[in-house]
Amino acid sequence: MNMDQQLQHAVLRELADDPAVEAKNISVEVKQGAVTLKGLVGSFYEKWQAERAAQRVQGVQSLVIDLQVNIASDRQRSDADIALAAEKVLSWNAAIPPDSVKVKVENGGVTLSGALGWNFQRETAQKIVAQLIGVVEVNNQIEIKPHVSSVRVKDDIDEAIKRQAIQDAAKISVRVEGSKVILEGSVSNWAERDVIKHTVWSTRGVQSVVDHLKYDTSRMKNF
């Protein structure tokens, strides 16, 4: 069994182990570490969870999501109902300041806009809306608008990465241009890359992240 076949089996196992995913409806194709997910899912949330499951597998170097959301007739909702539900769950969530996020719905696709001070708030808004019945897509256009110095941002990120005890911390370069963070260097797997990006996004003052991290394939382990 070659590396692509091993990776394919690993992704299939991860999908099967995720309770939010109907793995039997999803096929996995792999070519030189590039993974493609194809098939039908019953909700946008399931599509999102399938993507996250694939990202957790070591060896996945890139990911193409070709999953179609096919909502059962008894779970379809009008755009007006989805918009009302989205506005309610956002207003009920303690992490989201009142009236900070705007909702637009078209053909089951939800667009979120507005401004928040932290990326975790933006991710929270997307996650809770993604779980609503009838949603087929979420386009997150919420902006992050804090006010801190770029020097402080870089210092906070460097310290946070060290606290995470990331194996490749010494091989990671963090460059800050205003509120934009540029990541360069190498990591050994997607999960480590995800931890680094999450750490950066969790730093106050970060509005955008440019990911130039590369994989050090010499240290990837067999499955």
Side-chain angles (χ1 to χ4, degrees):
M1 185 182 297
N2 61 36
M3 290 295 293
D4 280 350
Q5 291 173 324
Q6 293 179 45
L7 184 55
Q8 180 188 42
H9 288 178
V11 173
L12 286 169
R13 288 197 303 269
E14 191 69 24
L15 291 170
D17 288 342
D18 194 316
V21 178
E22 285 289 341
K24 64 182 180 181
N25 297 327
I26 300 175
S27 65
V28 178
E29 299 177 1
V30 181
K31 184 176 182 181
Q32 296 181 346
V35 175
T36 300
L37 303 183
K38 293 184 176 181
L40 294 175
V41 292
S43 67
F44 174 73
Y45 184 67
E46 183 182 356
K47 177 180 179 179
W48 193 31
Q49 287 296 101
E51 178 180 353
R52 292 169 68 88
Q55 290 175 348
R56 290 195 295 266
V57 179
Q58 181 174 330
V60 175
Q61 298 190 38
S62 62
L63 189 59
V64 176
I65 306 298
D66 189 14
L67 297 173
Q68 304 301 314
V69 178
N70 184 25
I71 299 176
S73 58
D74 62 341
R75 295 179 68 82
Q76 293 180 358
R77 305 174 73 178
S78 70
D79 287 349
D81 286 343
I82 294 173
L84 181 60
E87 290 169 357
K88 284 185 176 180
V89 295
L90 288 168
S91 68
W92 291 341
N93 193 287
I96 310 298
D99 302 321
S100 58
V101 177
K102 306 301 180 184
V103 178
K104 177 184 175 182
V105 184
E106 185 174 356
N107 297 324
V110 179
T111 299
L112 302 176
S113 60
L116 293 167
W118 295 83
N119 187 64
F120 89 88
Q121 294 173 318
R122 178 169 60 180
E123 291 183 344
T124 298
Q126 178 170 344
K127 182 176 182 179
I128 59 178
V129 170
Q131 297 180 64
L132 294 176
I133 295 173
V135 173
V136 299
E137 194 66 68
V138 178
N139 180 17
N140 194 345
Q141 296 182 0
I142 299 173
E143 298 180 350
I144 307 299
K145 290 188 174 180
H147 300 283
V148 293
S149 73
S150 59
V151 174
R152 174 67 180 274
V153 170
K154 177 169 171 49
D155 290 344
D156 287 350
I157 292 172
D158 287 339
E159 291 178 8
I161 289 177
K162 292 176 182 177
R163 286 198 304 271
Q164 291 289 333
I166 297 170
Q167 180 180 352
D168 293 314
K171 296 186 177 181
I172 300 165
S173 169
V174 177
R175 183 156 48 95
V176 179
E177 297 179 357
S179 60
K180 178 174 69 176
V181 176
I182 302 169
L183 296 174
E184 297 175 326
S186 65
V187 293
S188 60
N189 56 65
W190 189 302
E192 193 170 83
R193 183 181 202 164
D194 199 45
V195 169
I196 294 168
K197 291 176 69 175
H198 177 75
T199 300
V200 172
W201 272 120
S202 298
T203 303
R204 185 170 181 81
V206 175
Q207 295 186 34
S208 64
V209 177
V210 179
D211 181 3
H212 290 325
L213 294 172
K214 298 180 179 179
Y215 292 101
D216 185 352
T217 56
S218 65
R219 292 184 293 120
M220 288 186 179
K221 300 177 181 178
N222 292 331
F223 303 95

